[in-house]
Amino acid sequence: MRRKGKGALFLGVVSAVSGEFGIDPTIGRVVFAVLLAISPLAMSILYFLLALLIPTDDSPEKLSDRVFSLLDEIARWFEGALNPKDERFLAGFLLLIGFCLLFANWLPPGIIPLGTRTGGLVMMLLAVILPASKGEGQNEALGSG
């Protein structure tokens, strides 16, 4: 099992796992978004652990070196997702808003108005469904996510 960066919504974890089990990555992403809304902290920790443990084609062999490689990968994703000209901008924007809404319960009151799990789930589902509706990465879908 390998994570592939090309066409990945974030780090490619969900589509790598979906591909391993023969499930469409969009369905895997929707299931993950629902599970994330139910248990944001546990699913976030699980996601980043899997991102660390499931290598990419160019991941270092040593696990300690993979930590820095993963941090670089996250930084590159943010560079693209925060650039309005990048194809990942809309999905990245919705993922960030959804993630903030999911964790709104742990933030001081008033920082994120209307911070509900439902709002976070809606944003994350939009982030998952919109790229799929455009047909982006459908041919490479088993390696993206």
Side-chain angles (χ1 to χ4, degrees):
M1 180 178 349
R2 296 257 185 223
R3 293 184 298 115
K4 294 186 173 122
K6 184 174 174 123
L9 211 69
F10 183 47
L11 297 174
V13 171
V14 174
S15 63
V17 173
S18 296
E20 186 71 18
F21 291 104
I23 300 170
D24 182 79
T26 303
I27 293 171
R29 290 174 182 141
V30 169
V31 169
F32 180 77
V34 170
L35 291 173
L36 188 63
I38 293 169
S39 182
L41 187 60
M43 292 308 292
S44 297
I45 291 170
L46 178 64
Y47 187 89
F48 286 107
L49 270 174
L50 288 174
L52 189 61
L53 295 175
I54 301 171
T56 60
D57 289 333
D58 57 350
S59 288
E61 288 297 318
K62 289 177 57 179
L63 190 59
S64 59
D65 292 338
R66 279 196 210 161
V67 171
F68 296 108
S69 176
L70 183 62
L71 291 174
D72 287 340
E73 196 176 339
I74 292 169
R76 284 191 309 274
W77 181 86
F78 272 108
E79 286 175 13
L82 298 177
N83 179 359
K85 294 180 182 178
D86 192 287
E87 64 185 25
R88 297 171 292 178
F89 177 72
L90 178 61
F93 181 72
L94 292 172
L95 282 174
L96 288 173
I97 290 175
F99 200 71
C100 289
L101 288 173
L102 288 176
F103 282 94
N105 294 336
W106 289 290
L107 296 174
I111 288 184
I112 299 178
L114 305 173
T116 66
R117 286 186 177 183
T118 304
L121 177 61
V122 167
M123 291 295 179
M124 297 190 97
L125 287 175
L126 283 173
V128 166
I129 293 169
L130 286 177
S133 68
K134 290 181 181 179
E136 291 178 23
Q138 290 302 305
N139 292 335
E140 306 135 6
L142 293 178
S144 60

